[in-house]
């Protein structure tokens, strides 16, 4: 159970936190908000205090902590805060993390993959939120650019399945096929990856036969089919050689049958 207090007292506590904030005492205001939320989490003033606390964290230059506290607000007080405003603030924090410049030994670089967990939380908060499709596509692009093709394949597939009529659905399916192609090239002995790449690219061609990207998909597909044919020929040649070298009649027969099938 939680300590009880009259609503007028809670309103006074909230007003005190706002006075501290307006006076520029951000740390003291943060502590006043936290005290209210922790002591009376089920009160009507708690989500208001939590939202003020989140904004104060941003003012104090603590975006990662602010995102975490916004997420707590979303999870604990659904329906008791301005949803679009909070989601937009969380998006802004995640976007800055994905696009900010980092430096090491005077070399500038970016680490957009650090924002992926934040993007994923935003999507889970609302798969039909106005920016959810954009974030799902960005996740896939980040994985592709960092050559994590297996994760990119899954992310692009999720996008096309979840948002099949969105403006980027065509691009997502093509990109999934391209990642399948690149992933199979990185793993040339994995026949299943090559076959999957063929299936995805053929699926793209069937789905979007008049796409500007269809020609590129056909090029990838032809290359994969040549590789598949070469692999099957090599496998058949190996079986045939095995049949000629073995002295066991049954084993020779099995190898010859396998060579014909190949």
């Amino acid at each position: 159970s939680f300590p009880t207090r009259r609503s007028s007292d809670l309103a006074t506590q909230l007003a005190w936190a706002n006075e501290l904030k307006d006076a520029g005492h951000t740390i003291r205001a943060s502590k006043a908000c936290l005290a209210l939320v922790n002591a009376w989490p089920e009160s009507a003033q708690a989500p208001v205090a939590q939202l003020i606390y989140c904004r104060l964290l941003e003012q104090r230059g603590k975006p990662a902590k602010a995102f975490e506290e916004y997420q707590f607000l979303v999870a604990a007080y659904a329906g008791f805060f301005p949803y679009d405003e909070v989601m937009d603030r969380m998006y802004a924090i995640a976007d800055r993390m994905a696009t900010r410049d980092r430096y090491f030994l005077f070399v500038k670089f970016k680490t957009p993959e650090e924002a992926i967990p934040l993007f994923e939380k935003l999507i889970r908060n609302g798969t039909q939120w106005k920016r959810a499709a954009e974030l799902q596509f960005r996740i896939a692009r980040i994985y592709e650019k960092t050559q994590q093709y297996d994760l990119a394949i899954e992310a692009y597939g999720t996008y096309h399945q979840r948002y099949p009529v969105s403006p980027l659905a065509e691009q997502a399916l093509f990109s999934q096929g391209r990642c399948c192609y690149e992933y199979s090239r990185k793993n040339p002995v994995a026949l299943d990856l090559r076959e999957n790449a063929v299936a995805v690219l053929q699926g793209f061609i069937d789905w979007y036969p008049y796409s500007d990207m269809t020609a590129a998909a056909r090029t990838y597909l032809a290359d994969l089919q040549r590789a598949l044919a070469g692999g099957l020929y090599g496998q058949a040649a190996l079986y045939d050689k095995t049949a000629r070298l073995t002295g066991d009649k049954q084993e020779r027969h099995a190898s010859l049958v396998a060579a014909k099938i190949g």
Side-chain angles (χ1 to χ4, degrees), residues 63-85:
K65 179 63 175 174
F67 187 98
E68 179 184 325
E69 292 298 332
Y70 277 127
Q71 183 61 36
F72 172 75
L73 178 66
V74 171
Y77 297 108
F80 293 93
F81 61 87
Y83 179 81
D84 286 337
E85 176 191 331

Side-chain angles (χ1 to χ4, degrees), residues 27-261:
I27 294 178
R28 291 177 63 194
S30 297
K31 290 180 179 178
C33 289
L34 276 180
L36 193 158
V37 174
N38 291 335
W40 301 281
E42 296 181 338
S43 67
Q45 289 80 7
V48 180
Q50 180 66 23
L51 179 57
I52 295 171
Y53 177 54
C54 294
R55 291 168 175 163
L56 285 167
L57 286 170
E58 288 198 76
Q59 290 180 28
R60 291 165 58 192
K62 298 179 179 291
K65 179 63 175 174
F67 187 98
E68 179 184 325
E69 292 298 332
Y70 277 127
Q71 183 61 36
F72 172 75
L73 178 66
V74 171
Y77 297 108
F80 293 93
F81 61 87
Y83 179 81
D84 286 337
E85 176 191 331
V86 168
M87 291 290 283
D88 286 344
R89 293 307 311 151
M90 294 176 75
Y91 172 84
I93 293 170
D95 183 60
R96 283 198 302 272
M97 184 174 291
T99 57
R100 66 181 175 177
D101 292 329
R102 304 285 294 274
Y103 293 89
F104 179 72
L105 298 177
F106 306 105
V107 176
K108 185 170 70 173
F109 64 98
K110 297 182 186 295
T111 55
E113 61 273 15
E114 291 182 358
I116 287 178
L118 307 189
F119 288 171
E120 290 175 336
K121 286 179 181 178
L122 283 166
I123 293 170
R124 285 196 295 270
N125 288 344
T127 56
Q128 299 305 318
W129 177 55
K130 62 184 179 181
R131 293 187 180 273
E134 170 200 332
L135 291 179
Q136 182 63 41
F137 192 86
R138 288 179 69 178
I139 289 171
R141 288 284 289 169
I142 291 169
Y143 281 138
E144 182 180 4
K145 287 183 177 181
T146 53
Q147 297 186 13
Q148 300 180 73
Y149 293 121
D150 53 337
L151 297 176
I153 291 165
E154 182 179 353
Y156 279 127
T158 297
Y159 183 97
H160 195 269
Q161 181 181 22
R162 192 175 287 165
Y163 312 106
V165 296
S166 69
L168 290 174
E170 179 181 328
Q171 178 67 58
L173 188 57
F174 172 75
S175 298
Q176 184 187 29
R178 180 177 60 209
C179 288
C180 287
Y181 171 76
E182 295 294 348
Y183 194 38
S184 70
R185 289 186 65 192
K186 287 184 68 174
N187 300 273
V189 298
L191 182 62
D192 59 328
L193 295 182
R194 206 173 296 155
E195 291 174 340
N196 183 61
V198 167
V200 173
L201 287 164
Q202 186 61 60
F204 171 79
I205 293 169
D206 292 342
W207 202 306
Y208 303 104
Y210 304 111
S211 169
D212 292 340
M213 294 170 278
T214 297
R218 291 189 188 280
T219 299
Y220 292 143
L221 187 60
D223 187 47
L224 288 166
Q225 288 171 336
R226 282 193 297 269
L228 278 171
L232 291 173
Y233 175 80
Q235 189 178 57
L238 177 62
Y239 284 136
D240 183 67
K241 182 178 179 181
T242 301
R244 296 178 187 281
L245 293 176
T246 184
D248 186 287
K249 291 183 179 180
Q250 289 185 342
E251 186 178 342
R252 184 187 303 121
H253 177 72
S255 295
L256 287 171
V257 170
K260 291 178 181 178
I261 294 174

